[in-house]
Amino acid sequence: MKARILLLSLLLTACDPARVSQTVNRMTVLAIQSEPASAIPGETIALRALVVTPKQDDPIDLRWYLCQHPSIDECAKADDLLPIGIGAMTTVTLPPDAFEGDSFVVWLDATSGGRVERSLKAVPVRAADYPRNHNPVLDRVRWGDGTGGVIRTHRKGKIPVRAGSSQVVNELHDDSGEPAAEDVELRTWTSGGTLVDPSGSGASGELYWRAPPDKDGTFGAWIVANDGRGGVAWTMQWFVVDGEEPQE
Amino acid sequence: MTLLFSAAAASATEIPPDSVESTAIWTVDGCAAVLAQVRDSVTGNPVPGARIGIVPRGAKPVSGSALSSPDLRRVGRTTPEGTFVLQAPGAQKLVVEKAGFDTVEVETPCSDAITVLDVTLAPLTPMRLAEAGAAGDAHRRLGGETLESMAGAPRNLFQAVQTVPGVARPTFGGALLGSILGSGDLGVRGSRPGESRTYLDGIEIPYFYHYFGFSSVVPAEMIEYVDFVPGGAGPSFGRLTGGVLDIHSRALRSETESDEPWHGRANLTFFEANAIARGPVGKGYFSVSDRFSIWDLLYKANPGGWGNGMPVWGYNDMQLVYKTPLAPGKELSAIAFGTFDDVIQVGTPTTLHTEFYRAGVSYRSRTERTKVQVATSYGYERFLMRLVQPGQGIRLSSHRMQHDLRLAADGEWHVRDAITVRGGVEGHAVRPEAGLELDWEQQEWAIIDRTYWDRGLWSTAWSELELRPTSRVVLLPGVRYDYDTFVKRGWVDPRMTARVFVGDATTVSASGGLYHRPQPFALAFADDRNLGLTEATQVSAGVEHHIGPGLVVDVRGFRNEFQNQVQGVEWLPDFDEYGNSTIGDGNSWGVETFTRFSTSSGRTRGEAGFTWSRTEWKNDWPDANPNTTEGEWTASDLDSTYAFTFVMHRELKKNKTFGMRARWYSGFPYTPYEADVYVPDDNGYIGIGRNPWAQRAPSFFQLDIRFAKRWQLGPRAGMEAFLDVQNVTARQNADRLNSTGVPTEPTREGSMPFFPSLGMSVTF
């Protein structure tokens, strides 16, 4: 806790007003979603993952494992894993004797081009009478003009992006013993170009994607909404950049 | 070259003093001036800084020792060349005193010609030195002159102390964090920073540095000497599990200096300025000093010319000391000192602020066989951090402060030649407070909003015997009892030091004892818990041998064991009631050598240190979490197998000096991560290191140099220009390697860059 606060303090002193996306230059696990986002002992959850590579059609092998320890730190070092599925989606049932307040931790091993990326997802175990945490809903998403499909543009092209929700984004909860509202954060990645949040808040859905100024190609862009309590949702788009900016 | 001549007294009064050399001296009543040249009887070297006292002609004739004469006056100290000019008509008796030497009393002749008086001081044999009767295995003393001129530690006494063996290499980041959080930075023989204690004239100071560690919070110019005891400290020092840094100021050190005229020094570098002045006030003696930063003054001169978000750093430290004799052998002294540091971000409420203040009064009485001191002091310290980032919607505010009222009394009774009894009592009334607020501005969501405060008492009683069963053996058994209401228990610490003088050149010594230190208040605020105790057992033994004039070697082995050591960051209240994960055990053992040398001319002197040591720690997580793999003994983060230090100072011709400091250390350990696991929800990695602290950062080497040139502007005024360059080779040291969990190479924690500092001093 102390170290995190200290780190936060130091990070704050270096914050930039505008937020820009991180770059995907190798296979990366951007998100693992559990549906529901929190579960009661004995409940079955559906797991799916957003695993990306810089290229649109790279094959990725996904294998799911169950960790038998109740905390994410202990699971990171565990080697007594149980296989529970293969592929982009799987389902698993929480043990009936899982403790409320603990976490149900699953592993995901992603392999592509000989590289293995290991990731962990902690699903909070809730009491039956405790409100369910819902995954954020991104149903008001618009990439460019909203016609769908791959978006074509030129170098330095600027594409407006909107990632919004028709529902109340910030659920109320009292995880810490005090009533509070979620703070849903939008995290962004691209394999080329830049997703920019001009507000710098990480909470605004009004963004734009700026094409790279000096490179043609096909580039991906991903937005992951994270509620900070285990709930995630995402949207993605591929862009084709072809040629210089047309002269007026 | 001093010009000396004689003339009749009547003539002297007829010659305007300003029209001749100010060092001109005449006869008075037929007696001319005396030039005393003071030398070491063994080496023949001049003895600078020796204190000169006189019994004036015309005073009551001295029958016994001049030291007991009511007419004795202290009139100054010898020059760097070991000389002193005693103005006409000379004196009935001249008394020359210097620590480490026998005091000499000389009859001065009355002659109408200038007399050059050779005075030789005989060094005390080790068994007669003050350290012989002081508990603690080794007393590594650094004089004020050394502190002022050591290369790489520009008048920063703590950087100078951290060069001696037994002290873990300070890191740039550690000094920065320690200065901001006020947590100290002295890791001694396996103890954690914060487990050693530092005193200025008997009053504890909580931390060393202004932010970034460039300047110390106490100026070197006010220091007579620093006595660093790395282990085996006597029972007068308690509530510690490490070493003791005992700083003695110049103003309080000497018995009386009321006859010395006002004098002082002012320094200016590109980032700070400081000045100190000392002189007589009434019957007493007063010392005042202040240091301030320059960066914030530039900001205050033009606050509108700085861009938003620009950090502005400012600091100040000040010291006042006054002492006055009340009667023969009785003295009243007062001391006040304090410091603050500020960092603000222009245009935002973001603030870092660290400060402490101390004020105390003491009364001392001394007879031939007894010494008594009664003292009281008040201390206040505060740390405040306020971070606001509107764009992020984050507000964080943390503060910590403490009030401390102290009453103390101690005394010494010289029962007979072979027995001396010492003892003391001390009580503190303490009011600590700490708070933390962290919230999201936009959500109006308080994550943490807690402030704790408490009040309590701690007290101690200690006693020590100095036994000399033979002239060559000193035994110092002692015991200390402490009680602390925050701990809600008392504890007993027995201590012992023994010295055997094998001939006049060799001293064999050993010390050991139990040590306890209450853990920081921050660990006990949550849920009204009691403070825990860190416990240590210290054992050490060694030999000091004078190989010849100007060469002394000390070789010493030690072993320290620690239980319930606070091994994490202790600056914030631990709001997690299960937060004992920072507690663990420690071991440290090793061998230290410390060599002091000076050439026969005395123009070159210095120290060399070598340490081989091992420091281990073991976290106590398994007690709470049996399934974890933590809790095995590993090298600690402060373990550095080999350490070499070399400090040298040379007087060159034409008032130039050259100094250098070289340090080489084994790199600190770090935990290599064999793999990293990504946690998408946290957008971060968890490193998997199954061999904690198994690898080491590259070795550390830093060379610092210092050039100075001095100009004598008058009999007492002078000027000095100096260039101090830290890390002159611009070596890219890694203070530490950190496995941050990102699947890349460990990150380097940068060290001191190439850092030149040009400055000038004026003395008067």
Side-chain angles (χ1 to χ4, degrees), chain B residues 261-285:
Chain B
W262 274 91
H263 61 285
R265 176 173 178 141
N267 301 299
L268 176 69
T269 67
F270 69 90
F271 60 91
E272 70 171 25
N274 78 311
I276 183 167
R278 288 188 288 268
V281 172
K283 290 184 178 177
Y285 193 72

Side-chain angles (χ1 to χ4, degrees), chain A residues 3 8 40 60 68 90 97 120 211 225:
Chain A
L8 173 67
I40 59 174
I60 303 172
Q68 302 181 72
T90 192
D97 57 353
L120 288 174

Side-chain angles (χ1 to χ4, degrees), chain A residues 176-200:
Chain A
S176 60
E178 297 174 13
E182 286 177 347
D183 184 51
V184 176
E185 179 189 10
L186 296 181
R187 299 173 183 164
T188 57
W189 288 264
T190 63
S191 59
T194 307
L195 267 170
V196 180
D197 171 8
S199 76

Side-chain angles (χ1 to χ4, degrees), chain A residues 1-2 5 9 12 15 19 22 26 29-31 72-73 76-77 117-121 178 180-181 183 187 189 200-201 226 232, chain B residues 385 387 389 391-392 394 396 436 438 443 445-446 448 523 569 571-572 574 630 677-683 685-686 688 690 743:
Chain A
M1 179 65 184
K2 296 171 184 172
I5 291 172
S9 311
L12 283 175
C15 282
R19 271 197 172 193
Q22 301 175 62
R26 57 182 171 77
V29 181
L30 300 186
I72 208 161
D73 286 326
K77 297 166 186 169
E117 181 83 11
R118 301 194 133 178
S119 302
L120 288 174
K121 171 73 178 181
E178 297 174 13
D183 184 51
R187 299 173 183 164
W189 288 264
S201 67
N226 185 314
V232 293
Chain B
M385 176 173 68
L387 293 170
Q389 194 68 19
Q392 299 294 314
I394 294 170
L396 182 145
L436 177 67
L438 175 64
Q443 305 290 344
W445 174 22
I448 300 172
L523 293 191
V569 178
W571 64 285
L572 273 180
D574 191 344
E630 302 288 337
V677 176
Y678 185 60
V679 182
D681 284 347
D682 294 342
N683 195 19
Y685 288 84
I686 297 175
I688 303 172
R690 292 188 171 83

